Amino acid sequence: MASLTGASLNFTSLSSSFRRTQLPLRGISNVKSVSFPSLRMQPGFRVSCMAKPETVDKVCEIVRKQLALPDGSSLTGESKFAELGADSLDTVEIVMGLEEEFGISVEEDSAQSISTVQDAADLIEMLKEKNNA
Amino acid sequence: MNIRCFPRKFSSALPPLVPLQLPSPMETHLWYILPNEVKSVALLNQYSELLSPCERENVNRMGGDQLKKRALLARALVRTTIARYQTNCQMNPRSLKFRKNIYGKPEVEWKNDDNFSPPPLHFNISHTSSMIACGVTVNVPIGIDVEGKQRKIKNDIIAFAQRYFSPCEVKLLTAISDSEIQRQEFIKLWTLKEAYVKALGKGFSAVPFKTFTIRFKASTIRCFHLPGNSVSEASEVIVESSDDPKNLPNNWQFALLEVAASHYVAICTEKDKIVGGEANRPMKLTVRKTIPFVEDVCVSGTDAVLVLGGIIEQ
């Protein structure tokens, strides 16, 4: 598991530096997407793509709005949707908000595996990279 | 009110739980708590004593007093309600064990004693900020969902429906010009779809919302009922596959209720094949408002329960 995380960290830093020069990342991102689909099914498995802080912030903003969290209430990457009081309709609304904000499409089984803000941000990064590949 | 759950070394005396008769086949029991009616901190602390350490931890992790209270009441409702249905001996709500099936649906883990035959009891819970509900059946699975009538949808309703609902349902919602009525119909549809998926118990990815349509159909059923029973012959609620509408999974029955004038409650149960007879018998329903250890009020047949859909006998 540690080596996978290490590898994906490298992919992310590679991809952010190469994206502008459009070097083909197809090989690397294909490997990433092939290894993960079955793991995605496991509840609680997190793809540590180390989402950018801006992504995490944006997710927090959408969650705050959806759940009408009081100003000043603590909200971090580790915050769990259920513990913030999100029910299933809230979660689906949040996912829809994320889809619209980031131009991605989240499948039902991926949506089910999201339990924290970080999970959502990581999934967004993964889907954005798939879109760009 | 600072609500914190902590295990107490000496349990204060809790009054005994009033035992209950199991629901009969084709009968559903619906229990609900209105959290605003439970104000006693002492009572809440007594509820917390019923929880497993794991449940208490989960309650304590919830953000804020209101969420902690809601989580606590949900566990207390499930434990006390199921404990009351024990016919062999009085079960301690504290000793009930729960687990999740392979798809994540919660169920009771009955102990494996020689002398103990577990009741064929099924349950499902749902909660919103202002209502916690638990549905109970025998022999057949049940799913329930509760939503506040006034719940506002943050996204555009039609955009949401286009993303998650079936084409048939989108058409129905689009045809409603009054935005308030559209919002209400959306919520009713959501609760029915949730209840169906929860009854199936295979998780949301197994039966994506888009793959099935729930709709109302004028009832053509003639129900025989005893004088004194009230049978609501509102529209029947049916579910059909989006791709293959003729292939109707007709072994599920639904109820859509407006409860306490404030919430929509959808119930979905499997029809009991063992009971036999005509396929379309009414769902017998008993609805009780409760505060565990304090009171039960049967509200079936009163203004507190309005049948919006389904063939229901109260």
Side-chain angles (χ1 to χ4, degrees):
Chain A
M1 205 62 87
S3 56
L4 266 177
T5 312
S8 63
L9 274 173
N10 287 336
F11 295 162
T12 309
S13 56
L14 269 175
S15 65
S16 53
S17 56
F18 279 115
R19 200 171 284 133
R20 274 182 233 107
T21 54
Q22 308 240 335
L23 275 173
L25 289 174
R26 206 145 284 142
I28 299 170
S29 41
N30 275 351
V31 165
K32 196 156 64 132
S33 54
V34 160
S35 353
F36 286 32
S38 56
L39 291 172
R40 204 176 49 179
M41 295 301 202
Q42 286 178 23
F45 179 79
R46 295 224 261 118
V47 177
S48 273
C49 290
M50 291 311 285
K52 302 192 197 66
E54 311 94 76
T55 307
V56 177
D57 286 343
K58 201 67 202 172
V59 174
C60 285
E61 197 185 300
I62 289 171
V63 171
R64 224 179 248 290
K65 219 169 72 172
Q66 177 66 36
L67 303 181
L69 297 176
D71 290 328
S73 64
S74 145
L75 188 57
T76 67
E78 298 308 304
S79 302
K80 280 194 174 178
F81 293 134
E83 289 164 14
L84 296 167
D87 63 12
S88 51
L89 182 50
D90 286 315
T91 306
V92 176
E93 286 221 77
I94 289 168
V95 169
M96 187 166 162
L98 298 176
E99 288 183 326
E100 286 181 350
E101 177 68 34
F102 294 100
I104 52 175
S105 180
V106 180
E107 275 156 66
E108 230 94 9
D109 51 356
S110 305
Q112 261 196 277
S113 68
I114 299 174
S115 28
T116 64
V117 168
Q118 189 69 49
D119 288 344
D122 291 346
L123 180 63
I124 290 162
E125 294 293 10
M126 188 173 88
L127 291 172
K128 270 165 65 181
E129 271 181 60
K130 253 169 85 170
N131 282 351
N132 293 337
Chain B
M1 197 185 336
N2 187 18
I3 299 172
R4 178 133 184 113
C5 290
F6 48 91
R8 284 163 49 150
K9 291 204 169 67
F10 303 101
S11 58
S12 43
L14 278 166
L17 285 171
V18 177
L20 293 166
Q21 280 236 291
L22 281 171
S24 46
M26 298 294 286
E27 185 182 9
T28 298
H29 286 178
L30 179 72
W31 298 85
Y32 68 92
I33 298 179
L34 299 177
N36 296 337
E37 293 186 352
V38 183
K39 298 196 225 287
S40 158
V41 177
L43 186 58
L44 291 169
N45 285 335
Q46 285 181 317
Y47 291 158
S48 86
E49 288 179 47
L50 304 176
L51 272 49
S52 68
C54 193
E55 287 171 341
R56 262 196 292 270
E57 220 187 282
N58 288 339
V59 169
N60 285 331
R61 277 205 286 262
M62 299 297 289
D65 278 353
Q66 288 315 305
L67 291 179
K68 285 185 171 65
K69 182 179 174 186
R70 200 205 304 188
L72 172 58
L73 289 175
R75 295 319 302 162
L77 178 63
V78 174
R79 284 184 169 272
T80 54
T81 304
I82 292 178
R84 290 171 69 179
Y85 284 113
Q86 298 316 301
T87 42
N88 296 338
C89 58
Q90 184 71 105
M91 186 107 200
N92 189 337
R94 218 173 276 125
S95 9
L96 283 168
K97 287 206 189 332
F98 294 89
R99 65 170 176 221
K100 297 198 171 159
N101 75 3
I102 51 169
Y103 304 105
K105 183 174 183 180
E107 56 187 29
V108 184
E109 188 175 319
W110 302 106
K111 58 183 190 281
N112 235 337
D113 267 354
D114 289 332
N115 297 332
F116 181 77
S117 53
L121 204 139
H122 294 252
F123 75 93
N124 194 234
I125 55 172
S126 175
H127 43 77
T128 67
S129 53
S130 38
M131 181 182 283
I132 294 148
C134 178
V136 180
T137 47
V138 291
N139 301 335
V140 293
I142 175 172
I144 71 168
D145 190 54
V146 178
E147 292 296 346
K149 269 180 72 178
Q150 301 306 317
R151 184 176 185 146
K152 298 284 177 270
I153 308 301
K154 306 292 190 301
N155 291 286
D156 172 72
I157 285 176
I158 297 303
F160 187 104
Q162 281 168 337
R163 176 71 183 85
Y164 292 108
F165 285 8
S166 76
C168 207
E169 291 165 340
V170 175
K171 221 166 117 180
L172 184 126
L173 286 170
T174 310
I176 302 171
S177 49
D178 183 312
S179 61
E180 176 56 15
I181 297 181
Q182 191 189 66
R183 188 192 60 79
Q184 288 175 2
E185 294 307 309
F186 169 88
I187 296 182
K188 290 178 194 171
L189 204 44
W190 173 272
T191 58
L192 284 164
K193 290 172 84 80
E194 276 275 294
Y196 176 58
V197 173
K198 289 174 81 180
L200 285 168
K202 295 208 176 84
F204 291 92
S205 53
V207 201
F209 271 25
K210 229 185 231 296
T211 62
F212 64 93
T213 295
I214 288 189
R215 60 186 183 85
F216 292 80
K217 190 177 97 140
S219 166
T220 52
I221 298 153
R222 289 257 133 254
C223 294
F224 169 73
H225 55 93
L226 299 168
N229 284 7
S230 90
V231 179
S232 310
E233 285 171 19
S235 321
E236 201 187 336
V237 178
I238 57 172
V239 60
E240 48 194 29
S241 147
S242 298
D243 291 329
D244 190 4
K246 293 210 181 62
N247 189 6
L248 195 54
N250 73 339
N251 52 326
W252 298 95
Q253 61 180 161
F254 293 85
L256 180 67
L257 315 169
E258 186 184 301
V259 178
S262 52
H263 291 78
Y264 294 129
V265 178
I267 303 171
C268 177
T269 63
E270 197 171 12
K271 291 182 188 166
D272 197 327
K273 298 177 189 68
I274 299 166
V275 169
E278 331 98 71
N280 294 314
R281 294 159 76 111
M283 180 197 287
K284 280 190 280 187
L285 179 67
T286 305
V287 185
R288 278 176 278 221
K289 180 164 81 95
T290 184
I291 299 176
F293 297 110
V294 176
E295 65 173 24
D296 294 337
V297 181
C298 181
V299 295
S300 303
T302 71
D303 289 343
V305 182
L306 199 61
V307 178
L308 303 176
I311 315 298
I312 313 297
E313 180 184 328
Q314 292 189 69

